Amino acid sequence: MFGYIVVNQQEMKFKEFDEYHRYYCGLCRALKEDQGAKGQLSLSYDMTFLVLLLTGLYEPSEERGTKRCVVHPMTKHEYARNLYSDYAADMNRILTYYKCMDDWTDDKKLFRKLYAELLIPKKELEKEDSRLYDYRQKIDTIADRLAKISELEKENSEDLDRLSGYFGEVLAEIFAVRADAWEENLRKIGYYLGRFVYILDAYDDIEKDRKKHSFNPLIHKLTCSEEMKTEDIPVEEWQKLADWVKEVLMMQAAECAREFEKLPIIKNVEILRNIVYSGIWNNYYKATAERCGSKADNRQNGE
């Protein structure tokens, strides 16, 4: 999926990372049991955050154990799994399906289309006895918002608020696992995380998109000529963009954190805080350091 909702491992205790990885392995097992190897190909750390969040909030019963897998056939790995591992696996599959179909529609990437059809055959979405049929309202919302993003991108829209907002609504729908007292908080966490992810993804991909002449809502923020080679863009230009993007991202991160702190979570709360306050910034600082050098590294360290 996106690869942005992750931990900052450097700021974690070993036991915290081990616990985080147990839930990651639990999610992997859920994907494997439901879809086999093709399901595991869609595995991401992003949905591990959702599993940890819902587990901390609702505290379901869990299955824990050790298993070997295809990736680690020689060594047994510990895993933790519960009903939210299965839910996150379903959401992961749905989101990956629509992302692959979008890639097929926009760029005619045949492999992505074939993978999407393997992941979710069309008839599965229509069968009433299918597990995914229970998610039809969520599926309709996800498909609609991703289609709206695609339309705006085809128009070369520079409306970052609408573009990121639609992706925020996608994650809001995914995070709202049930209608209860915490639904609104979970929706807001998903919404602001989705906005954060969309903006950060655009920031992260600027070089690639400039080279391929692909859509990117942030390219117009660079005042240099589009004909200028990316490697020739002055550091000052990159730093100006980095400062603007950071300010926008901080607004999304602050709202996400505000809603997160309203939840009565005790279990694995330090892991979750690591992600909400630090991990989601990993790619921003990595991209900024590559473009701006040591100045960006100093800013990451709070200087």
Side-chain angles (χ1 to χ4, degrees):
M1 289 191 359
F2 1 100
Y4 296 119
I5 309 175
V6 296
V7 296
N8 183 340
Q9 192 173 348
Q10 293 181 341
E11 296 185 3
M12 295 185 80
K13 297 176 181 177
F14 288 116
K15 65 178 182 180
E16 290 173 346
F17 184 76
D18 289 343
E19 183 69 353
Y20 174 72
H21 202 266
R22 289 183 189 104
Y23 283 95
Y24 177 76
C25 289
L27 176 58
C28 183
R29 286 186 58 76
L31 285 165
K32 179 185 178 182
E33 289 184 12
D34 186 47
Q35 291 293 306
K38 66 179 183 290
Q40 288 176 294
L41 285 173
S42 68
L43 178 65
S44 76
Y45 281 108
D46 303 281
M47 282 297 169
T48 307
F49 171 75
L50 180 60
V51 177
L52 283 164
L53 179 68
L54 297 178
T55 298
L57 181 60
Y58 295 114
E59 299 184 349
S61 59
E62 294 186 337
E63 170 194 344
R64 288 178 177 253
T66 57
K67 291 283 185 179
R68 290 185 175 89
C69 65
V70 175
V71 180
H72 305 101
M74 304 302 294
T75 308
K76 287 186 176 182
H77 281 255
E78 295 182 12
Y79 70 88
R81 182 179 175 184
N82 57 54
L83 64 94
Y84 297 114
S85 307
D86 297 338
Y87 172 77
D90 288 338
M91 294 300 105
N92 192 82
R93 189 155 65 106
I94 291 166
L95 197 51
T96 302
Y97 170 85
Y98 282 106
K99 179 64 174 70
C100 287
M101 291 305 295
D102 185 60
D103 288 344
W104 162 247
T105 301
D106 293 346
D107 303 319
K108 299 304 176 188
K109 295 181 179 178
L110 182 59
F111 173 77
R112 303 288 281 176
K113 180 176 184 288
L114 294 174
Y115 179 58
E117 292 172 348
L118 277 174
L119 205 56
I120 304 181
K122 186 176 180 180
K123 61 183 180 181
E124 186 176 353
L125 294 172
E126 300 169 353
K127 289 171 59 177
E128 292 189 15
D129 60 346
S130 164
R131 192 168 75 206
L132 294 187
Y133 189 80
D134 295 336
Y135 300 129
R136 57 193 180 277
Q137 181 178 342
K138 290 185 179 297
I139 290 171
D140 288 344
T141 299
I142 292 168
D144 177 73
R145 300 308 187 272
L146 291 177
K148 287 179 177 178
I149 291 173
S150 182
E151 290 172 8
L152 288 174
E153 290 179 345
K154 288 175 182 176
E155 296 169 2
N156 289 317
S157 172
E158 296 177 357
D159 192 340
L160 191 60
D161 188 59
R162 287 179 68 196
L163 286 160
S164 62
Y166 284 140
F167 194 70
E169 289 174 17
V170 169
L171 288 200
E173 191 64 38
I174 289 173
F175 275 52
V177 65
R178 62 172 70 163
D180 62 9
W182 308 115
E183 178 185 9
E184 189 62 25
N185 302 99
L186 289 171
R187 281 189 180 277
K188 287 181 178 179
I189 291 171
Y191 177 74
Y192 289 109
L193 260 184
R195 288 177 62 94
F196 186 100
V197 165
Y198 187 91
I199 296 165
L200 180 53
D201 184 58
Y203 179 69
D204 203 22
D205 286 347
I206 285 181
E207 289 94 339
K208 180 186 71 176
D209 292 336
R210 285 185 92 248
K211 184 176 181 179
K212 294 183 177 181
H213 302 287
S214 299
F215 171 80
N216 189 308
L218 294 180
I219 286 179
H220 75 284
K221 291 289 182 182
L222 293 169
T223 58
C224 60
S225 168
E226 291 185 11
E227 285 71 36
M228 179 180 287
K229 292 182 179 180
T230 300
E231 57 268 26
D232 294 334
I233 296 175
V235 171
E236 294 76 17
E237 185 81 7
W238 282 122
Q239 191 64 63
K240 182 179 178 182
L241 175 64
D243 291 342
W244 184 87
V245 168
K246 185 175 183 179
E247 184 175 345
V248 174
L249 289 177
M250 285 182 68
M251 289 188 286
Q252 317 312 317
E255 292 300 326
C256 173
R258 188 195 313 277
E259 294 303 321
F260 169 74
E261 294 297 347
K262 293 178 182 179
L263 300 178
I265 295 177
I266 297 175
K267 184 175 184 178
N268 294 322
V269 69
E270 294 307 319
I271 300 175
L272 290 165
R273 284 186 174 132
N274 174 284
I275 297 170
V276 170
Y277 291 103
S278 182
I280 59 174
W281 289 95
N282 287 352
N283 285 70
Y284 168 83
Y285 284 116
K286 181 177 182 291
T288 302
E290 290 173 353
R291 295 163 183 164
C292 306
S294 60
K295 184 177 180 181
D297 291 327
N298 290 338
R299 289 183 177 211
Q300 182 176 6
N301 293 326
E303 297 179 16

